[in-house]
């Protein structure tokens, strides 16, 4: 960057700030419209049976916890075999 002028270096310092601000605005707008759309769809009466949804959520949560415990066990087993105790 030795060939860049001082004005260019100052401008380059602002690029991440501008890009991150733009990214936050775009994602925030997208999330707002997604939440609003799902809320309106729920008000239309297209809600799934609450009991079935809760059952699916519980099943996914149990599978996640089992996978997490398995990964933890595998990590400790491998670390003991490598002598990283």
């Amino acid at each position: 960057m030795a060939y860049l002028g001082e004005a260019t270096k100052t401008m380059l310092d602002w690029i991440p700030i501008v890009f991150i601000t733009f990214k936050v605005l775009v994602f925030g707008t997208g999330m707002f419209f997604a939440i609003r759309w799902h809320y309106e769809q729920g008000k239309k009466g297209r809600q799934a049976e609450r009991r079935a949804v809760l059952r699916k959520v519980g099943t996914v949560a149990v599978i996640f916890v089992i996978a997490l415990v398995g990964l933890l066990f595998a990590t400790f087993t491998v670390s003991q075999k490598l002598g990283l105790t």
Side-chain angles (χ1 to χ4, degrees):
M1 282 190 153
Y3 60 92
L4 295 176
E6 190 63 36
T8 306
K9 287 181 185 178
T10 305
M11 186 179 69
L12 289 176
D13 290 341
W14 281 95
I15 287 178
I17 296 170
V18 171
F19 284 167
I20 290 172
T21 304
F22 177 74
K23 186 177 182 178
V24 167
L25 287 173
V26 168
F27 281 132
T29 304
M31 287 190 317
F32 170 76
F33 285 116
I35 291 169
R36 189 177 85 182
W37 183 82
H38 282 88
Y39 177 75
E40 289 173 355
Q41 292 299 317
K43 287 182 80 175
K44 286 184 180 178
R46 294 180 46 171
Q47 289 182 348
E49 181 68 33
R50 219 178 256 246
R51 180 173 239 166
V53 171
L54 288 175
R55 184 177 303 232
K56 289 289 182 185
V57 169
T59 304
V60 170
V62 167
I63 291 171
F64 177 75
V65 169
I66 290 171
L68 189 63
V69 169
L71 179 64
L72 185 65
F73 178 73
T75 302
F76 279 116
T77 303
V78 170
S79 68
Q80 282 182 343
K81 295 238 186 235
L82 294 175
L84 300 174
T85 57

